[in-house]
Amino acid sequence: MSSETAGTPPTGSETPPAASFEAPADLVVVADPQDPVAVELAAYVTEQGRSVAVLDVFDAAQLFTVTTRAGTATVDPPVPLVLLLPAPPERRTGFDAEFQLGECFAQLWAVAALTPAPVVNRPAGTLVAGRTTRSAAVTGRRAGEHGNGELFSHAYPRPGDPEGEAFWVEDLGTLRAGRWPERPPGNGPYRARWTDADPATETVVVLGGRGWRCTTADLDHLDLEGRSVAAATALGLDLAALVWRVTDGTATARLVHAEPFPALEQLRMVWLGLGPRLLEVLFP
């Protein structure tokens, strides 16, 4: 990423124009080239007469140039983006590799935040997962939905008043979970919450201010599409899959998970609505 400040050029010289880079395709998908969602998305967009390049984090970072002059940022090439960035490794694999990955993520964050072109899941204050967190309770509150509370503890927790059929405990060091009193592998700290052993759930996929339920169950009275769109907006997500736990028969629903990178199986269930909306968002 380069930065230049406009000023008065020396006598007899002119400020050279910024270099212009040609986009490799009509759309760039930043993802592992073998990612099933990226492969399916590229195939669909190609069938609609548009060219698509699926680039990994390293190649995508080298494609773009961000230039600033007199406080104005320019991104070249200004090509639409879909970000399906893989999560960074949870454990360090090597300082050099981690540093290079961090620099590429930083470059792509700047590109996606500043480009005038459409971006699916454009980053803002956080990177590309919006305001989601590993805590379902925190994510739910940020989304404007309140579900079951969560307990965080250094010592192995004990369940309080029941709010479901089972009390599940996750070790935050190993990310393994077990049903209380089974202790998951690891030495803590822990995150725990109540849930049902076999909960009834509904998933809603959201893109660009519209939502589609993944089933045809009689749940219209819960307005899960509207609530999902509002929750995704509050979380800063364009594309997301929101999972709702349906309780009290079908009288209520609680948000239990917001996924900023939906699985291919989730997207396929709503593709008749999602596909055309994707083209509207990327190529207005």
Side-chain angles (χ1 to χ4, degrees):
M1 180 168 62
S2 63
S3 176
E4 300 177 22
T5 302
T8 303
T11 304
S13 66
E14 297 181 355
T15 303
S20 180
F21 300 89
E22 183 177 352
D26 297 326
L27 170 68
V28 171
V29 179
V30 184
D32 182 331
Q34 304 303 316
D35 180 88
V37 173
V39 172
E40 190 84 0
L41 187 153
Y44 175 78
V45 175
T46 300
E47 289 175 358
Q48 309 308 311
R50 302 278 187 169
S51 58
V52 183
V54 180
L55 304 178
D56 63 22
V57 173
F58 303 100
D59 288 340
Q62 297 177 66
L63 169 66
F64 296 94
T65 296
V66 180
T67 305
T68 59
R69 286 190 175 87
T72 300
T74 302
V75 176
D76 201 36
V79 59
L81 288 168
V82 175
L83 301 180
L84 302 174
L85 298 179
E90 293 179 353
R91 299 186 183 277
R92 173 169 286 179
T93 57
F95 178 82
D96 290 344
E98 185 174 305
F99 177 80
Q100 184 181 14
L101 181 62
E103 289 294 291
C104 290
F105 266 94
Q107 166 74 348
L108 287 174
W109 182 7
V111 168
L114 296 171
T115 181
V119 178
V120 171
N121 281 354
R122 185 188 299 270
T126 54
L127 195 54
V128 290
R131 303 179 67 221
T132 62
T133 72
R134 285 191 53 80
S135 167
V138 172
T139 298
R141 287 183 178 275
R142 290 179 176 180
E145 295 281 347
H146 304 294
N148 288 357
E150 289 182 318
L151 184 153
F152 292 83
S153 173
H154 177 72
Y156 186 68
R158 298 182 63 84
D161 294 335
E163 296 183 49
E165 298 174 353
F167 189 66
W168 284 83
V169 181
E170 179 186 41
D171 184 287
L172 295 178
T174 63
L175 303 181
R176 300 285 295 277
R179 181 173 177 173
W180 193 90
E182 175 189 344
R183 185 187 294 261
N187 299 310
Y190 301 95
R191 178 171 69 101
R193 70 179 302 173
W194 285 95
T195 186
D196 293 337
D198 188 21
T201 61
E202 173 66 286
T203 299
V204 181
V205 176
V206 171
L207 173 64
R210 297 185 188 175
W212 303 267
R213 288 200 291 118
C214 289
T215 77
T216 57
D218 185 13
L219 299 174
D220 290 348
H221 59 287
L222 296 175
D223 188 27
L224 294 183
E225 294 94 334
R227 291 168 66 184
S228 295
V229 169
T233 300
L235 293 171
L237 298 173
D238 298 316
L239 173 65
L242 293 98
V243 182
W244 300 84
R245 176 186 169 198
V246 180
T247 58
D248 303 324
T250 61
T252 61
R254 295 178 175 179
L255 180 65
V256 295
H257 182 61
E259 175 53 59
F261 304 109
L264 180 59
E265 292 73 17
Q266 294 171 316
L267 301 184
R268 279 178 171 167
M269 287 190 282
V270 299
W271 197 258
L272 288 178
L274 182 71
R277 180 57 178 162
L278 180 69
L279 295 178
E280 292 175 356
V281 169
L282 293 173
F283 308 106

